[in-house]
Amino acid sequence: EDDNNNNDNDIPLVYTDHTASHKPLSSLETYLEEYCLGLYGNTHTPTSTTGRQSTWFVRETRQLIAEYCGVAIAANHNNKASDSHVVLFTPQGTTGALQVFIDGMGLHYLSEDQTLLVLVGPYEHHSNLIPWRELKCSTIHTIPETKEGVLDLDYLRNILQEASSSLDDDDDNNNNN
């Protein structure tokens, strides 16, 4: 059972910042301590027993997640071309995941005259913005929320219409050359 009264007033603690970190879960910590920590080592290091075991723990966990989701693992070389859904495991955190996406799409190779439109919600963690800011050709728009606390779809529609008309203008200019 986890301690949810982590203050001096015995007021129940409600933890809502699950984006970047979580409160410890004692059942998971107990399992890790009893079954994993004695075998823990650097993953992808085949030169030691602990490294091989830790790598195996990671592979097994990824396989269990993929099976639970009913999909294949993207890095699995046994994937068939018909696999339409995959789990893509990325480096730590959202920043690492976005970096994999940006690298995979080749967005670092956009020329200076190309603009990448990035739309984010009002609740984005700052780490979600870092990779986009590093791309000099990106324009980041934060979609605000309405008084009701939902995404402002009118604002989103206007941004998309502006971007679409800008693309149409670019196409017209290219066709006239």
Side-chain angles (χ1 to χ4, degrees), residues 13 23 33 84 127:
L13 175 67
K23 294 281 293 163
E33 186 175 332
S84 60
S127 65

Side-chain angles (χ1 to χ4, degrees), residues 33-133:
E33 186 175 332
E34 290 178 8
Y35 298 102
C36 300
L37 290 183
L39 301 169
Y40 182 78
N42 289 333
T43 57
H44 312 294
T45 304
T47 57
S48 69
T49 302
T50 57
R52 286 190 300 273
Q53 181 62 54
S54 291
T55 300
W56 185 82
F57 282 147
V58 169
R59 288 181 183 162
E60 180 183 34
T61 302
R62 289 178 175 184
Q63 186 61 44
L64 289 170
I65 291 169
E67 288 173 10
Y68 179 80
C69 295
V71 298
I73 297 176
N76 183 344
H77 299 294
N78 297 324
N79 289 354
K80 299 180 184 103
S82 64
D83 289 341
S84 60
H85 295 84
V86 297
V87 176
L88 175 63
F89 292 95
T90 60
Q92 296 177 357
T94 302
T95 305
L98 286 172
Q99 202 60 56
V100 167
F101 174 77
I102 288 169
D103 293 344
M105 296 295 292
L107 299 178
H108 290 290
Y109 301 107
L110 292 175
S111 63
E112 290 181 22
D113 61 331
Q114 294 175 299
T115 302
L116 181 65
L117 175 62
V118 179
L119 303 172
V120 297
Y123 316 108
E124 296 298 324
H125 191 271
H126 70 276
S127 65
N128 297 2
L129 304 175
I130 294 168
W132 301 117
R133 287 185 179 138

Side-chain angles (χ1 to χ4, degrees), residues 2-7 11-29:
D2 292 316
D3 180 15
N4 288 322
N5 296 320
N6 291 340
N7 56 48
I11 298 171
L13 175 67
V14 178
Y15 189 77
T16 59
D17 184 15
H18 294 287
T19 303
S21 60
H22 290 273
K23 294 281 293 163
L25 182 61
S26 61
S27 59
L28 179 59
E29 289 181 344

